[in-house]
């Protein structure tokens, strides 16, 4: 684990490696739910902090204990070893297509550089999720745009009805 400084000067930490992450998450002092982070509630992290939307998001990735296990059980069948192995050829195909697109984006850019996040890191998980859900290809672009707006974009003003 290493200390990092997040946007806005907010201190954080990064854990690298699967085993290190498993050990970290198993520690009794570690929690993922934002209710356990005083800085988000005592004013030391500004209300307009651009990453607050991620910290306050509620879902399986931010749930702890029995709530996490309950949510995980709802999606568990989609991620069995058999299901993942069944998808392997399609994921490899999608990966190849995105890597080809990344190369094209670099060739077409003025400086010969392509944004890995935009052309690969974001579209690959979305494409795999769409495959898991059996979503028709003509709807995938719209789902990607909506999820980007809801999950990824931190520059969208919150409606006034949201709590600070």
């Amino acid at each position: 684990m290493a200390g990092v400084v997040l946007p806005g000067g907010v201190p954080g930490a990064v854990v690298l490696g699967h085993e290190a992450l498993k050990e970290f998450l198993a520690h009794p002092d570690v929690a993922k739910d934002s209710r356990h982070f005083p800085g988000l509630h005592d004013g030391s992290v500004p209300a307009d902090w651009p990453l607050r939307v991620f910290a306050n998001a509620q879902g399986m990735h931010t749930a702890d204990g029995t709530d996490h296990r309950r949510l995980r059980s709802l999606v568990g069948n989609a991620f069995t070893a058999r299901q993942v192995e069944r998808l392997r050829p399609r994921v490899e195909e999608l990966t190849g297509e995105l890597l080809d697109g990344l190369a094209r984006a670099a060739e077409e850019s003025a400086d010969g550089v392509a944004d890995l996040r935009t052309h690969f890191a974001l579209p690959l998980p979305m494409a795999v999720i769409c495959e898991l859900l059996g979503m028709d290809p003509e709807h995938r672009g719209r789902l990607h745009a909506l999820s980007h707006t809801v999950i990824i974009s931190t520059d969208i003003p919150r409606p006034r009805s949201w709590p600070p």
Side-chain angles (χ1 to χ4, degrees):
M1 183 170 74
V4 296
V5 178
L6 300 169
V10 175
V14 64
V15 179
L16 302 174
H18 184 73
E19 290 304 316
L21 183 60
K22 281 176 38 179
E23 181 181 337
F24 176 77
L25 291 174
H27 193 281
D29 293 336
V30 172
K32 297 179 286 180
D33 191 311
S34 66
R35 292 177 295 186
H36 302 290
F37 297 101
L40 293 172
H41 311 288
D42 67 10
S44 59
V45 174
D48 64 348
W49 183 48
L51 298 179
R52 186 177 282 276
V53 67
F54 299 114
N56 289 336
Q58 294 188 355
M60 186 171 60
H61 64 289
T62 58
D64 293 310
T66 57
D67 195 32
H68 175 76
R69 285 188 292 281
R70 179 185 62 79
L71 293 168
R72 188 174 174 184
S73 72
L74 296 173
V75 298
N77 289 337
F79 298 101
T80 64
R82 176 180 286 151
Q83 289 287 71
V84 170
E85 192 57 37
R86 183 184 64 78
L87 278 175
R88 179 184 300 273
R90 181 64 180 134
V91 172
E92 289 173 352
E93 183 180 338
L94 290 167
T95 301
E97 291 170 5
L98 290 170
L99 289 173
D100 290 344
L102 183 64
R104 276 192 306 279
E107 290 169 5
E108 295 169 1
S109 73
D111 58 3
V113 175
D115 184 342
L116 182 65
R117 179 177 183 254
T118 299
H119 296 283
F120 185 79
L122 293 177
L124 182 60
M126 179 56 64
V128 172
I129 289 167
C130 288
E131 291 289 326
L132 281 169
L133 297 174
M135 180 173 283
D136 291 332
E138 68 264 15
H139 301 299
R140 293 178 183 191
R142 179 79 173 129
L143 179 63
H144 182 80
L146 289 170
S147 66
H148 184 279
T149 300
V150 172
I151 305 296
I152 306 300
S153 295
T154 59
D155 58 350
I156 298 169
R158 289 185 297 239
R160 293 185 195 272
S161 62
W162 282 24

